[in-house]
Amino acid sequence: MNADLHCHSTVSDGQFAPTEVAARAHEGGVTLWSLTDHDQLGGQREAREAAQALGISYLVGVEISVTWANRTIHVVGMNVDSENEQLLKGLESTRNGRATRGVAIGEALAAVGIPDCYEGALRFTDDPDMISRTHFARYLVEQGYAESTSDVFARYLGDGKPGFVEHRWARLADCMKWIRDAGGEPIIAHPGRYAYTPVEFSALFDEFIQMGGRAIEVVTGSHTPDQYREYADVVRRYGFEAPRGSDFHGIGESRVGLGQLPPLPDDLKSVWERWL
Ligand code: AMP
Ligand code: MN
Ligand code: MN
Ligand code: MN
């Protein structure tokens, strides 16, 4: 089983349309795939049809932006019903603030001498309600302000940098209820990316478990190999299950391609077993 249960398309901040992502997953040897666009299920039908045509098993997925302890975390909803009303409404309300935040990011960057970024970023997405820092990053790279999108985050868009704008996303409890009520499994995405203290991390995992959470990402393109080991230990300690996913966004923006991650450590229970 080559599972890749985390990646993005042009429906959110990926570079390729769902059908092209499917083709790349197939090329990468993926046999169980999920497209997990940010806060949006609009690509699911196309992804499922493309997967079917290629003979790949498919799970409906979404990556939801959540604010917990004043920081943004991402929670993947795996195997959700893409027609569930409450989930669709919840995602819509989560997306709602993006355009306003985008304008504020544009103003913040203008204040440090980089004009017209909101308009520029909009050229990189079809849907203003989906405008993401990734679109700003692509514009800044195009304009020569940075070498790469990760360089843009390090210098302009990351936490505390001049273009960073505080934002409140969904509440963890709400997000978990939307996912559960839509028949899905909530999974904490790439915990290694969050700047929490050890005390905050244990509070997050305890709260997640109390709310019925039982899986976190370990082997993800958004972790380093050292972090695979670190979070495999967390999984063992808490009795979690784990998925596997590249977090592929596009060429030059992702550490690994679709289907290219190492397998989960042998002793870890995979989250996808229950759906096969
Ligand atoms: P947003 O949801 O608009 O706040 O944008 C978050 C997105 O920015 C994430 O989903 C990643 O795709 C991207 N991102 C966040 N941090 C980095 C980073 N350090 N390097 C490259 N991309 C990043
Ligand atoms: Mn992204
Ligand atoms: Mn993420
Ligand atoms: Mn992602």
Side-chain angles (χ1 to χ4, degrees):
M1 176 66 59
N2 185 340
D4 196 321
L5 303 178
H6 188 149
C7 63
H8 298 272
S9 76
T10 46
V11 167
S12 64
D13 61 349
Q15 291 173 359
F16 301 105
T19 302
E20 297 168 88
V21 184
R24 283 171 185 275
H26 186 249
E27 259 170 52
V30 172
T31 54
L32 176 65
W33 178 50
S34 181
L35 176 71
T36 53
D37 277 310
H38 298 285
D39 310 320
Q40 176 54 280
L41 286 161
Q44 293 303 309
R45 183 210 278 253
E46 184 183 330
R48 177 183 284 285
E49 285 174 3
Q52 245 158 26
L54 292 162
I56 305 175
S57 303
Y58 189 75
L59 295 170
V60 172
V62 63
E63 182 177 19
I64 305 179
S65 312
V66 165
T67 302
W68 190 85
N70 293 322
R71 290 185 194 281
T72 301
I73 66 168
H74 288 167
V75 176
V76 169
M78 190 85 309
N79 198 40
V80 290
D81 168 9
S82 59
E83 310 287 321
N84 182 277
E85 289 284 333
Q86 200 193 10
L87 174 62
L88 288 166
K89 264 200 203 140
L91 295 178
E92 195 187 353
S93 68
T94 307
R95 290 194 296 273
N96 259 339
R98 279 192 179 268
T100 317
R101 183 191 65 150
V103 171
I105 292 174
E107 286 166 358
L109 290 169
V112 294
I114 310 176
D116 303 327
C117 286
Y118 179 64
E119 295 72 19
L122 272 182
R123 287 202 280 102
F124 289 83
T125 174
D126 295 333
D127 180 358
D129 286 341
M130 283 308 299
I131 194 157
S132 142
R133 284 185 289 164
T134 308
H135 302 121
F136 282 88
R138 288 182 191 146
Y139 175 70
L140 289 171
V141 170
E142 181 201 75
Q143 296 297 306
Y145 289 102
E147 292 279 308
S148 64
T149 51
S150 60
D151 188 27
V152 176
F153 278 87
R155 292 168 56 193
Y156 297 110
L157 296 178
D159 211 334
K161 302 299 169 186
F164 181 79
V165 171
E166 293 274 353
H167 189 74
R168 288 211 76 81
W169 301 104
R171 293 172 54 222
L172 181 60
D174 292 338
C175 156
M176 291 196 48
K177 186 169 171 12
W178 302 335
I179 294 169
R180 279 275 183 244
D181 290 354
E185 185 69 32
I187 303 168
I188 295 181
H190 43 63
R193 291 235 311 237
Y194 312 139
Y196 291 128
T197 63
V199 170
E200 287 170 325
F201 268 115
S202 8
L204 172 63
F205 294 139
D206 288 345
E207 200 177 315
F208 180 65
I209 288 169
Q210 249 169 28
M211 294 191 285
R214 48 190 179 185
I216 68 166
E217 287 188 341
V218 174
V219 179
T220 152
S222 287
H223 281 170
T224 62
D226 276 348
Q227 290 173 323
Y228 303 165
R229 287 181 279 277
E230 181 181 349
Y231 287 96
D233 279 341
V234 171
V235 160
R236 292 178 187 112
R237 205 166 339 125
Y238 285 88
F240 286 137
E241 298 168 13
R244 175 177 181 265
S246 58
D247 207 358
F248 180 76
H249 283 70
I251 307 297
E253 294 185 357
S254 300
R255 202 173 55 76
V256 291
L258 287 144
Q260 302 304 296
L261 286 168
L264 287 180
D266 273 343
D267 63 312
L268 263 52
K269 186 161 189 266
S270 65
V271 73
W272 61 81
E273 269 164 48
R274 64 167 65 83
W275 299 307
L276 297 182

